[in-house]
Each structure stands twice: as structure tokens, then as C-alpha cells.
Amino acid sequence: CRGGSALPGARTRVMLAILLLVAEGLASGRHVPTSRAAARVSPVAVRATTTDVEADPVPNPFIQRNSEGRAWVQQRARPRRNRVSEPVRRMVRENSVTAADFIYPLFIHDAEDNQKIESMPGCERHSLASMVKEAKEAYALGVQSFVLFPKVDDALKTNRGEEAYNPDGIVPRAVRMLKEALPESVVFTDVALDPYSSMGHDGIVEDGRILNDETIEQLCKQALCQARAGCDMVAPSDMMDGRVGAIRDALDAHGFTNVGILAYTAKYASAYYGPFRDALDSHPGFGDKKTYQQDPANGREALIELELDEAEGADMVMVKPGLPYLDVIRRLKDNTCLPVAAYHVSGEYAMLKAAAERGWLDERKVALETLLCFKRAGADVILTYYAKQAAQWLKEDAEGA
């Protein structure tokens, strides 16, 4: 041993490997020429003649030598060739995210000052003036679409949610202001009673039950009120059976044939909505929402809702939540020609923010990867609280490319 090393030299290891193969042949009664034994020595062991790295003496029939004497695994297809450089990767990229893909949810309230939402870092309840300012900043970054969610004063809440169709209510005023400030923006409005309900549910409550058809009557009034204010699309999130068709007929009958419907097609009774309900102060007053929102255990059921929403006149369909339901997004994408939206909900957003605050994740990289995953799963549109921030990151990436 040289230098006090207990390991044999490289040449010695090659000779030992050859002797072992010869001995193997003798033990089995076969004659193994030393030349063939040498040929069967692992290329890793042969490489050890020119390196001091410890090698595995066991032969590897899959590794040969090329004309340069380097290790060669015979294979024509090598997918890594399409990953060899950033220009090549960009050229063959199957999906991409742009600011135009985003719908930016904005929380609004009737107050002069903004209020931070503790469970959603970076989000606020905006005054209407602040809402316009925030929307303009996002619009300048390429975010062209917005959806409004109101925090309604408790004094205005009732079981039937009449404030939902008050023409001077917070949402109609906000729509008018936003369309005046950004005429080319696409403004979505939420259609549901929970922000206006004294019971905290999406529908009218009677004897502990959520009434379906009576609720739809109120939703049609709400959608018409929002259309008159100038919204581009209404987004019924209530999950009442038949509400898409009823709203479509109500809009058409009153001349709003160009107002679209983004249907919450597969909205699950999820635990991921907590921070959103903090923002709107709309936690259920009793029980839960499992009698009208979908069971998280079900996937095929989303196709039933999809078929109904398509037949009833939906222009776009949505899955909510998003990230834990990528499989449902794919199911819808594979079964419809309508645009598919994914809602990157408050709980998903809050988890990422919390991990980033603790230094456990790179927020920028993980957020952009998450949004890209929605596109890969089949989403055409993404509702995300990251819209403005992600648009800024995408702009910086494009400028640095």
C-alpha cells in the first residue's frame, strides 16, 4: 500500500477483477480466456486506471466505451437534449403563465381607510378609492381582470340578503368606479348571499335548511343589479342547483346578453377557505356548507355539475379550491371546450406566505411554480391573490431574459 492507503492501486484492482472472472469460469467448468475476461471488466473499473476514485469491480454490461474511450450507454432517445439550455427549454415549453391569465380578487369595504387581513399577509380590505388605485397598479403590470368581494356592514345583513341587489350598495358603486377608471378591464362580480346574510350562508335559511329555489330568485336580482352597474361577467359561487340557467335567462330577458357567466362549477366544501371568510366576516352562523358545496372525496361528481352548467349557459367554468384539486381541473379540461378557471384560494395563499415569512420556502419561485402548475393541469384562467405580485415578478423575469 502506498502512502499508507489500505486500498489496492487501480492497476491491481483491474487485475483482481480479471482473476475473479477467470476463477468464476473455472468453478463453473467453463474456460474463460483472460482476453474476454478483460473485455468484461466494468468500464468503471477500467476508468479507475486513470483515476484514484474507488470503483465497483462488478461488470456492467450496459456501459460500453465510445470512440473517445469514455463511458457510453447505447440509446438514441435522450430527452435531456431538449433541456440542454434555457433557450431550448423556452422553445419547447408546453405551458407558460402571463399576467393576462390572472383574475385579481379585491376585497372592498365602505370605509375611508384600508384594513389589513391578518390571515392573508399582503391583502387588505380596500376603500373604494384604494381599490381603484390597486387595480390601476395591477393593470399597468398586465393584469386586466378583477373580481370584487365585499365586506358588508352587519347592520345591512338579513336572512334574505336584500342588500345584495341594492343599486347603491357597495358592489354596484365599486363596479361603476372601476369601469370608469379602467374601461377596458374585465370586471367580475360574485353572486351569492353569504356576504349579505345574517346567517353566514350562501342561501336563505329556513328551519336550519338552505332553500334552493327561493335563493335563486334572490341571486337573479343580484346578478341583474350587478349587470346594470356595468360588470362584464357574473360569477355565481353559491352552488344552488339550477342557478346558472336561471341567471342566464334573467340576464337575457333584460337585454344583458353580452354579460357572461363564470360558473363555480366544482366548488368543494373545503377547509381552505378560512382566511377568505375572515376577510369578508362571513363564517357560517351555524353548521357548515356541506349540503350545497361538493364533497372533497368526490371527483366524478364534478362532471355532473359541468354538464349542467354547460347546458344552462355558462361561459366559463371554475374549480375551487385549486392546488389540492388539480385532478378535478384536468377532468373538466378533458370534458369541455369552455375555458376552465382555477381559484388559488385564501388558504393556499396563506400557507405559502407563512412558509415564506419563516424562510422555509423561496416565495417567488414557489408561487410562480404553483401558478404554472394550474396551467399544466388545464386551467386557462387563474384567480389568485398573487396576481399583482406575480405580474411584477414575470415582468422582471422578462426584462432580465
Side-chain angles (χ1 to χ4, degrees):
C1 296
R2 290 183 296 171
S5 171
L7 299 174
R11 190 182 301 277
T12 303
R13 290 198 298 272
V14 173
M15 293 303 299
L16 285 173
I18 294 172
L19 291 172
L20 284 170
L21 289 172
V22 173
E24 176 188 331
L26 292 173
S28 61
R30 294 182 289 106
H31 173 63
V32 181
T34 55
S35 58
R36 187 187 304 174
R40 288 176 56 192
V41 174
S42 167
V44 178
V46 173
R47 189 168 65 247
T49 62
T50 58
T51 180
D52 292 330
V53 178
E54 176 67 15
D56 183 355
V58 178
N60 188 336
F62 297 101
I63 300 178
Q64 301 179 30
R65 293 286 144 189
N66 64 16
S67 61
E68 303 297 323
R70 300 181 66 87
W72 174 37
V73 177
Q74 287 197 46
Q75 51 180 328
R76 292 188 179 91
R78 290 180 182 262
R80 288 185 59 188
R81 286 193 285 259
N82 286 340
R83 307 170 197 148
V84 69
S85 68
E86 179 56 28
V88 172
R89 292 192 295 271
R90 191 180 299 121
M91 177 176 63
V92 301
R93 191 160 288 150
E94 298 175 29
N95 297 283
S96 61
V97 176
T98 71
D101 298 328
F102 302 146
I103 299 176
Y104 190 10
L106 294 172
F107 298 112
I108 55 177
H109 68 166
D110 258 330
E112 295 298 321
D113 299 322
N114 293 357
Q115 290 181 348
K116 291 183 178 180
I117 302 167
E118 296 299 329
S119 54
M120 297 181 68
C123 291
E124 299 177 300
R125 293 179 185 139
H126 291 276
S127 67
L128 296 191
S130 174
M131 170 205 70
V132 172
K133 179 176 180 291
E134 181 74 4
K136 284 183 174 180
E137 291 175 0
Y139 194 86
L141 293 169
V143 179
Q144 301 172 329
S145 303
F146 307 90
V147 60
L148 304 178
F149 293 106
K151 195 282 183 190
V152 178
D153 190 281
D154 287 347
L156 299 175
K157 295 181 179 182
T158 63
N159 183 28
R160 298 185 65 84
E162 289 90 350
E163 181 64 18
Y165 48 88
N166 176 1
D168 296 317
I170 184 172
V171 169
R173 284 185 282 121
V175 170
R176 290 191 288 267
M177 289 178 66
L178 202 49
K179 291 300 290 185
E180 182 179 354
L182 296 169
E184 297 303 313
S185 65
V186 182
V187 177
F188 293 76
T189 51
D190 179 52
V191 177
L193 296 187
D194 52 325
Y196 309 90
S197 170
S198 55
M199 299 291 186
H201 276 279
D202 293 47
I204 298 169
V205 179
E206 184 178 281
D207 298 327
R209 297 182 299 110
I210 312 303
L211 302 182
N212 192 90
D213 297 8
E214 291 84 347
T215 295
I216 291 176
E217 184 178 21
Q218 298 294 84
L219 299 178
C220 289
K221 296 176 186 178
Q222 183 183 17
L224 283 170
C225 176
Q226 295 168 349
R228 291 186 182 109
C231 75
D232 298 286
M233 297 192 79
V234 295
S237 63
D238 57 286
M239 291 300 287
M240 299 297 120
D241 293 340
R243 91 278 198 205
V244 172
I247 291 171
R248 181 72 273 159
D249 289 348
L251 290 171
D252 290 353
H254 288 81
F256 296 108
T257 54
N258 289 330
V259 174
I261 297 178
L262 166 58
Y264 283 64
T265 296
K267 182 178 180 180
Y268 286 85
S270 172
Y272 281 87
Y273 304 149
F276 177 92
R277 291 170 182 168
D278 292 342
L280 298 191
D281 189 22
S282 62
H283 290 272
F286 68 91
D288 51 44
K289 300 189 177 186
K290 293 180 180 179
T291 64
Y292 47 100
Q293 294 178 357
Q294 287 181 233
D295 187 337
N298 296 347
R300 294 194 307 273
E301 184 181 20
L303 300 180
I304 298 174
E305 296 285 356
L306 172 63
E307 184 176 357
L308 290 169
D309 286 353
E310 284 185 318
E312 291 175 25
D315 298 287
M316 302 170 65
V317 294
M318 188 200 297
V319 177
K320 181 182 180 183
L323 199 57
Y325 294 84
L326 295 179
D327 62 311
V328 180
I329 295 172
R330 173 47 58 186
R331 286 186 192 227
L332 264 62
K333 185 67 172 181
D334 288 344
N335 287 278
T336 187
C337 292
L338 294 178
V340 176
Y343 201 140
H344 186 210
V345 300
S346 60
E348 301 166 41
Y349 172 87
M351 289 192 299
L352 209 168
K353 283 288 185 180
E357 285 179 358
R358 287 159 178 77
W360 295 342
L361 290 175
D362 183 318
E363 181 181 15
R364 177 178 180 145
K365 289 182 179 178
V366 174
L368 291 177
E369 181 180 342
T370 298
L371 298 172
L372 183 62
C373 287
F374 289 130
K375 295 296 294 290
R376 191 193 65 237
D380 302 288
V381 178
I382 306 166
L383 287 80
T384 177
Y385 304 102
Y386 269 111
K388 179 184 172 184
Q389 195 172 8
Q392 178 63 47
W393 290 333
L394 291 170
K395 181 175 182 288
E396 292 168 359
D397 288 348
E399 291 172 348

